Each structure stands twice: as C-alpha cells, then as structure tokens.
Amino acid sequence: MATEDNTQRLVDALVAGRDEFTAQWNRTVSGNLQGRLSTAELGRELGELYEAIVQALTAGGLSGRGEEFAEVRSLLIELSRNRARQGFTPSETARSVLALKDVLEPALTTDGHGAEIYLQFARLLDDLGLLTTEAYVRTREEIISAQAEQLLELSTPVVKLWDGVVGVPLVGTLDSARTQVVMEKLLQTLVDTNSTHAIIDITGVPTVDTQVAQHLLKTVVAARMMGAQCTISGIRPQIAQTIVALGIEFGDIPTNATLAEALRQALKEIAQDAEDDARGLL
Amino acid sequence: MKQYATGAPAETVAVTSSSDVVTARQMVRTLAQRSGLSLVHQTKLVTAASELGRNMLVYGGGGVVRAAPVSDEGRRGIFVEFTDEGPGIPDVELALTDGWTSGNGMGLGLSGAKRLVDEFEIESGPGGTTVRIVKWGR
Ligand SMILES: Nc1ncnc2c1ncn2[C@@H]1O[C@H](COP(=O)(O)OP(=O)(O)OP(=O)(O)O)[C@@H](O)[C@H]1O
Ligand SMILES: [Mg+2]
C-alpha cells in the first residue's frame, strides 16, 4: 500500500472530524493540566497546531523533522517555552501533543488499513512529543543561566561605607566572570561616589587559591589605576596560613584582619590627607 | 606513596567544567570535616584540591577526582587522587618550580599544593597525569 494513499486517508479523516477531534483533544489536555491554563488559550494553541499538522500532512510530510513540519515545529517550540515558563512539567508538556493519539485511535482503527495509518501517525506524534521535551529543556536551561547571571549581580554588591570609602564584601567563589562584574562595579562606584579608598572584604570567600588571588590582584590594580587606595580585609587565620604556604604574595597591598580595622585605617588616611590639604602641603 | 587503609568507599566527582571544581572542593571539605581535621588543615587540603582540580581541567582537559578517608597508626586523614588523560607534564620538576607556568597563571598551583599537604605524588606521561595527595589530621 502506498504511503501517499495512507497520508491522504489520514488527511481526509482529520479534516472530516476536525471539530469533534479538536474538542476532544482540548478536553483531554485541559483535564490533564487541571485548569492551570485558560480554556481559551489552550483552545487557540491546539487549534493552530491541528491546522498546521493537517497542512504538513497535505504537503506530503510524514516525518516530524521534515521540511513540511517547520510550522508545526515552531508552534510546538512556542508551546513548550510557554509551558516551561508557566511551571508545567516536561511530561505534562509532551502529553499535550501525545493526547491526540488517544483521540484518534478509536476513530482510525476501525479496520486493518486504518490501524496501519494510525501507527504511522502515532510515530509522528511521538517524535513531535520528544521535540517538545527538547524545547522545554532548552528553555529551562535559558532560565537557569539567566538566574545565575542575576545572582552574580546580586552577590557582588559594592557599597559606600563612608564618605570617600567604598566596600566590596565578596561572598562565594571569585571566577573570571565574577571578577569582571566586581571590577566594573567597583570602578563605577568609585567614580559615582567620588571615593579615594576601596576595601575588598573576603570574609565570605571560603577558598583563596591562586586563581582567586590573581583575580583579587587584578581588581586592586584596576582600582589603583583610578587613583584609589585599595585594601584587602577579612583574611581569616586559616586563609592567611594557606596563602603563605601556597607562596602567594600580596606585595605592597595593605591587608587587614577585619573590615572594621580596614575602615578605621582608611578614615585615618582620609583625615590625614585633609589636614595636609588644609596646611597647603598637597 | 603507601597504600593506606580506607575508612569508607571513595567518593568521586567528574570534572569537566569550573563548577565541577567547586563540587570536588565541597566533597573534599565534607570528608575532611567528617574526619575531624582542624580548620587550618581542612582549608589547606581544600585549597590544594582546588589547585590540582583546576590544573586537571585546564591542562588535562578534565578528569576525575577521587577522595576517601584513610587511617594509619591511629591517625586519620584524607586521600585525594586527580586523574586526567591529557597530554601529561613534559618536565615535572620544572612544573613544580615556584612561578613556572606554561600559561598565564601564577605558576604556584602545583608547588603550592605540594607544600599544603603531607604527602604528594605525581605520575605523568603522554597518556595523562595522576596526582595523589594525603593530608593528615593532628
Ligand atoms: N594535569 C596537568 N596536565 C598537564 N600539564 C599540567 C598539569 N598540571 C600542571 N601542568 C603544567 O604545569 C604547569 C605548572 O602548574 P601550576 O599549577 O603550578 O601553575 P599554573 O596552573 O600555570 O598557574 P596557577 O598558579 O594559577 O596554578 C602548568 O602551567 C602546566 O603547564
Ligand atoms: Mg595551576
């Protein structure tokens, strides 16, 4: 039996039963989603999808990855992205497509030939179901990496501690991406607040290895190039011992055990500068 | 390096990205805490693991970190092994020199890690590199 004939019979059946099938498909899926999606929206989504499938089949396609199904695929990707954002599970999303199988099975499998057609169509729907899962996962990954970026922003606050003093309380690990964000924020805040002193506090950094040290040094150099004095504070005893054993040298960068001490030091320097200024020494 | 009696089955972390290095570090820290290592010893061991894990990722194209609690003559410690199937280190002695780097690091990772632990062993050839370390609690 020619596949073309099968496809034609399938199209005929889908066109003839359009209203009945889409209504039943809608009911199955909305029962599945338990009212978490408006009936109108679901009806529109599935209606569009149904039409697109009929058109793709009419154009002679039976492979979900074929050219004829481009429109169907883009609708499915759209649907999956929405479901992922609305918090539906991947199974619920795939079932939106697979439910069409249950709807069509009794209508198509009335004879042996029909059963064969149904099987072909079921395979196609399985493939389309998988496609929704792929699109769903991709969307979730995008959401996660966007959140990671937001977290990066949140976890690198740069604050004005006092007139002329900016503080950077670092928490967590300091990789290249984070260093970049910290550095940019620090330099901008130095300018915005017209500050001359920066204190980078590493109390919340659990591990200071050569990579973290290198990034800290880079940040200090950048701040110095803006004419700011830079101090590293919050070096806990166990970190100090580890840094020494590793062989890292902070050179002429002042360090302090606590942020409070670093702030006191910075304020003293600022007062000294002001005094010198008043005496006309500078 | 002597074959020490292990107190529990080894735990492993496959390292193929920098976030895996963080995971490996956390695994080592948890084991060190469980074995009662002091905070200073924990920090030194975790930092060494961070260096060796990252070397494995950067120069060895990724690999596996295996860690287990060990004991010997009543003392308890942590054993960690880093294995990659990268190009190997052509001159191990040179690589262990403070400040020597083939890239743009500080060249302190390998030599520093050696100073941070009690036992350090390195095997390297064209088929890859394996580094084994032990840190004892006092
Ligand atoms: N697993 C490895 N496979 C291949 N080469 C390695 C490996 N580990 C280290 N090396 C080589 O040894 C050199 C020294 O390593 P080391 O960790 O001391 O310094 P680094 O990684 O270059 O800088 P950093 O101070 O940031 O760690 C490296 O530059 C690299 O050429
Ligand atoms: Mg290194």
Side-chain angles (χ1 to χ4, degrees):
Chain A
M1 210 158 305
T3 317
E4 251 168 59
D5 291 346
N6 286 356
T7 315
Q8 193 50 52
R9 188 170 150 188
L10 183 56
V11 170
D12 291 345
L14 287 175
V15 172
R18 170 180 287 137
D19 293 344
E20 185 199 332
F21 293 153
T22 49
Q24 213 182 322
W25 191 16
N26 256 303
R27 271 198 303 280
T28 316
V29 176
S30 67
N32 196 321
L33 300 181
Q34 288 161 343
R36 281 173 295 158
L37 200 65
S38 80
T39 336
E41 196 181 342
L42 183 65
R44 186 190 51 77
E45 267 181 5
L46 297 186
E48 278 177 8
L49 196 54
Y50 193 91
E51 288 315 314
I53 291 174
V54 171
Q55 273 183 15
L57 290 169
T58 310
L62 248 182
S63 146
R65 313 267 156 165
E67 203 180 308
E68 296 86 355
F69 276 84
E71 172 70 13
V72 174
R73 283 196 300 270
S74 69
L75 284 175
L76 281 178
I77 289 170
E78 181 70 26
L79 179 146
S80 310
R81 300 180 73 90
N82 290 339
R83 295 280 199 282
R85 290 211 187 83
Q86 290 154 344
F88 292 99
T89 69
S91 323
E92 282 169 335
T93 307
R95 246 181 265 140
S96 295
V97 176
L98 299 180
L100 187 55
K101 289 205 293 190
D102 300 337
V103 172
L104 290 177
E105 189 182 345
L108 285 176
T109 56
T110 45
D111 56 45
H113 185 201
E116 190 187 324
I117 294 172
Y118 169 73
L119 274 181
Q120 275 185 353
F121 191 57
R123 263 199 294 278
L124 170 71
L125 286 178
D126 287 342
D127 201 21
L128 296 178
L130 279 179
L131 203 106
T132 63
T133 307
E134 283 167 29
Y136 180 98
V137 169
R138 224 174 302 127
T139 305
R140 289 304 280 248
E141 275 166 4
E142 283 165 19
I143 292 173
I144 290 168
S145 70
Q147 284 172 343
E149 219 162 280
Q150 286 165 5
L151 213 61
L152 196 68
E153 288 281 328
L154 281 177
S155 58
T156 49
V158 176
V159 290
K160 182 177 167 184
L161 291 175
W162 209 272
D163 272 344
V165 190
V166 163
V168 190
L170 290 176
V171 175
T173 56
L174 195 60
D175 57 16
S176 311
R178 197 105 186 265
T179 307
Q180 199 57 39
V181 175
V182 170
M183 204 138 77
E184 279 165 20
K185 273 198 178 177
L186 173 58
L187 301 186
Q188 191 58 50
T189 312
L190 280 171
V191 173
D192 291 348
T193 59
N194 205 5
S195 295
T196 52
H197 286 70
I199 303 171
I200 302 174
D201 187 80
I202 59 168
T203 308
V205 180
T207 310
V208 179
D209 59 6
T210 56
Q211 191 185 39
V212 171
Q214 224 181 353
H215 287 142
L216 279 175
L217 292 174
K218 223 189 277 176
T219 308
V220 170
V221 168
R224 282 184 168 177
M225 277 167 66
M226 307 275 304
Q229 308 256 26
C230 214
T231 304
I232 298 175
S233 73
I235 304 183
R236 289 155 294 153
Q238 67 273 26
I239 299 286
Q241 290 189 45
T242 303
I243 289 175
V244 170
L246 256 182
I248 294 168
E249 282 160 21
F250 280 135
D252 59 346
I253 300 167
T255 55
N256 282 104
T258 66
L259 180 56
E261 215 172 288
L263 181 57
R264 201 176 303 131
Q265 186 65 34
L267 292 177
K268 212 155 80 184
E269 280 170 23
I270 289 174
Q272 186 66 51
D273 287 349
E275 211 174 293
D276 291 350
D277 239 355
R279 284 213 201 103
L281 292 177
L282 285 182
Chain B
M1 189 183 288
K2 200 174 137 186
Q3 191 80 38
Y4 297 107
T6 51
E11 291 185 28
T12 61
V13 170
V15 172
T16 57
S17 73
S18 51
S19 64
D20 296 331
V21 177
V22 178
T23 310
R25 223 152 64 185
Q26 282 162 350
M27 166 183 76
V28 171
R29 188 187 295 279
T30 307
L31 285 174
Q33 280 166 353
R34 249 188 252 151
S35 288
L37 263 64
S38 72
L39 192 52
V40 172
H41 284 106
Q42 278 176 35
T43 308
K44 287 184 173 179
L45 173 65
V46 169
T47 308
S50 184
E51 295 297 343
L52 299 171
R54 192 146 27 74
N55 278 354
M56 198 172 76
L57 177 69
V58 174
Y59 305 109
V64 176
V65 182
R66 234 164 46 88
V70 287
S71 60
D72 186 51
E73 292 168 2
R75 27 174 216 174
R76 302 215 290 164
I78 300 295
F79 164 86
V80 194
E81 181 184 75
F82 307 80
T83 309
D84 66 62
E85 293 176 353
I89 307 174
D91 187 341
V92 172
E93 204 181 321
L94 182 64
L96 275 166
T97 312
D98 271 354
W100 192 86
T101 173
S102 67
N104 44 18
M106 294 180 124
L108 290 173
L110 218 48
S111 51
K114 188 176 177 182
R115 281 190 292 269
L116 287 170
V117 298
D118 298 310
E119 296 182 40
F120 184 95
E121 176 180 277
I122 189 162
E123 268 169 34
S124 194
T129 302
T130 296
V131 182
R132 297 186 191 91
I133 56 175
V134 175
K135 183 82 187 164
W136 295 112
R138 292 296 140 189

